[in-house]
Amino acid sequence: MKSSPAKREEVLSRFMAERGLKTTRQRNLIIDTFFSLDGHLSVEEVWAKARELDRRVSVATVYRTMKLLHESGLAHARNFGDGQTRYEAAVGKDHHDHLICTRCSTIIEFENDQIERLQDLVARKHGFKVVSHKMELYGLCRGCQRETA
Amino acid sequence: MKSSPAKREEVLSRFMAERGLKTTRQRNLIIDTFFSLDGHLSVEEVWAKARELDRRVSVATVYRTMKLLHESGLAHARNFGDGQTRYEAAVGKDHHDHLICTRCSTIIEFENDQIERLQDLVARKHGFKVVSHKMELYGLCRGCQRETA
DNA sequence: CTGCGTGCAAAAACTTTGCAACAAT
DNA sequence: ATTGTTGCAAAGTTTTTGCACGCAG
């Protein structure tokens, strides 16, 4: 599912207004690039793609912009254990979690409402108001189980 | 709950035998230090504590040893979003997950068997064999909800 | 105009690694 | 003896930052 530009725009403009941020050519480019791609993107990857359209954007601006997207809630920041932060679009697709193969690094996404409901329950029990969450299951995918056996 | 030295010892010695690793003064010091502490520890923190007993251990050895602990399954590696890997003892206490306050950084641990069971179920459905997992719920703790309201 | 934003390069923060000396088996 | 281990410092990665210039509002 692609992310919905309408909702995005709304969240973003409210966020930028709130913080007195300005709309710039670079920010638009980076944000559009990020949402046009899909998956779990490193800053490096977003940068590479954005540069295809404008050779002059600096990686620092990409770092700064991705951080804004994260703070605005439009992107989740993830850490899959390699040393890099990866960003993932947070609107326009249903929430999902990850199954990660520790051998071949395959990542499978899944969602499970029942788990989500239980999470809320647990949080409430501790007086928490959950804003977001991440869940990652690490193990061996079908193929790697076979090869390792 | 403190970690149980017996189980630890066993897992560790099997792991070291398997890989032809040697027992050294530094490794013992670092491992003991790690398990004597509690919580989510950065390499820096373990190092600081270990140095109290032996000024000469180098931070490189701590990095190397923590990686071994992680590979042996005795320590989980976590990433809470600050730029550091944090390690947490993986035996002697039941598995648990985390509620993290995004405002004051309070971390509450919890466990929920029902969720664990559902995770296994989902994994199996995708042909995965789960070895470990982590789940983190981000939000506002009781206190911060009040202050932010 | 005014102040935020950008690019660049330098720096910071964290982690890994090459190597010679050293220690465990 | 042999082979793995350590400390150190250098190098690698990823991310942040200072600053002068530029651009949006």
Side-chain angles (χ1 to χ4, degrees):
Chain A
M1 197 196 280
K2 271 292 153 85
S3 41
S4 62
K7 172 84 179 279
R8 234 167 66 201
E9 222 85 326
E10 188 203 312
V11 173
L12 193 57
S13 53
R14 176 171 329 180
F15 176 76
M16 300 192 65
E18 246 169 35
R19 311 244 298 221
L21 302 175
K22 291 174 178 173
T23 305
T24 68
R25 184 174 42 81
Q26 290 92 326
R27 289 226 255 244
N28 285 334
L29 169 61
I30 293 164
I31 292 170
D32 289 347
T33 301
F34 171 66
F35 284 109
S36 78
L37 297 169
D38 205 28
H40 313 98
L41 303 163
S42 65
V43 166
E44 202 71 21
E45 287 164 345
V46 175
W47 187 40
K49 193 70 181 173
R51 287 188 105 190
E52 291 177 11
L53 297 176
D54 181 349
R55 209 110 255 292
R56 294 160 303 173
V57 280
S58 86
V59 73
T61 302
V62 180
Y63 272 104
R64 294 189 268 233
T65 304
M66 292 315 297
K67 184 162 287 185
L68 289 180
L69 280 179
H70 178 232
E71 288 168 8
S72 75
L74 287 173
H76 292 305
R78 313 223 183 257
N79 249 132
F80 291 128
D82 57 344
Q84 273 171 78
T85 301
R86 292 179 170 281
Y87 292 94
E88 181 174 22
V91 294
K93 46 193 303 184
D94 293 326
H95 176 79
H96 62 267
D97 294 299
H98 300 93
L99 272 163
I100 300 160
C101 180
T102 50
R103 189 159 171 282
C104 69
S105 298
T106 294
I107 296 181
I108 295 178
E109 301 181 345
F110 70 90
E111 55 169 311
N112 185 307
D113 293 338
Q114 217 174 338
I115 293 181
E116 313 260 312
R117 242 173 290 134
L118 286 171
Q119 291 176 338
D120 270 349
L121 217 66
V122 169
R124 211 167 309 143
K125 201 163 65 187
H126 288 277
F128 249 73
K129 177 166 181 187
V130 173
V131 171
S132 70
H133 75 259
K134 49 187 172 194
M135 180 164 80
E136 289 143 28
L137 310 183
Y138 294 87
L140 292 174
C141 70
R142 219 186 301 264
C144 290
Q145 278 174 65
R146 219 175 288 135
E147 293 179 43
T148 310
Chain B
M1 197 196 281
K2 268 292 153 79
S3 41
S4 63
K7 172 84 180 280
R8 232 167 67 200
E9 222 85 327
E10 189 204 312
V11 172
L12 194 57
S13 53
R14 177 172 329 182
F15 176 77
M16 300 191 66
E18 245 170 35
R19 310 243 298 221
L21 301 175
K22 291 173 177 172
T23 306
T24 69
R25 184 175 42 81
Q26 291 91 327
R27 291 229 255 243
N28 285 334
L29 169 61
I30 292 163
I31 292 170
D32 289 347
T33 300
F34 172 66
F35 284 108
S36 80
L37 297 169
D38 204 28
H40 312 97
L41 303 163
S42 65
V43 166
E44 202 71 22
E45 286 164 345
V46 175
W47 187 40
K49 192 71 182 173
R51 289 189 104 189
E52 292 177 10
L53 298 175
D54 181 349
R55 209 110 258 292
R56 294 162 302 173
V57 282
S58 85
V59 72
T61 302
V62 180
Y63 272 103
R64 294 190 268 233
T65 304
M66 293 314 297
K67 183 162 287 185
L68 289 180
L69 281 179
H70 178 232
E71 288 168 7
S72 75
L74 287 173
H76 292 303
R78 313 220 181 259
N79 248 135
F80 290 128
D82 57 344
Q84 275 170 79
T85 301
R86 290 179 171 280
Y87 292 93
E88 180 174 23
V91 294
K93 46 194 303 184
D94 294 324
H95 174 79
H96 61 267
D97 295 296
H98 300 93
L99 272 164
I100 301 159
C101 180
T102 50
R103 189 158 172 283
C104 68
S105 298
T106 294
I107 296 181
I108 295 178
E109 301 181 345
F110 69 90
E111 57 169 308
N112 184 308
D113 292 338
Q114 217 175 335
I115 292 181
E116 314 261 311
R117 243 173 288 135
L118 286 171
Q119 289 177 339
D120 270 348
L121 217 66
V122 168
R124 210 167 310 142
K125 200 163 67 188
H126 288 276
F128 250 73
K129 178 167 180 183
V130 173
V131 172
S132 70
H133 75 261
K134 50 187 170 192
M135 180 165 78
E136 290 143 28
L137 310 183
Y138 295 86
L140 291 175
C141 71
R142 219 186 301 263
C144 289
Q145 278 174 64
R146 219 175 285 133
E147 293 179 42
T148 310

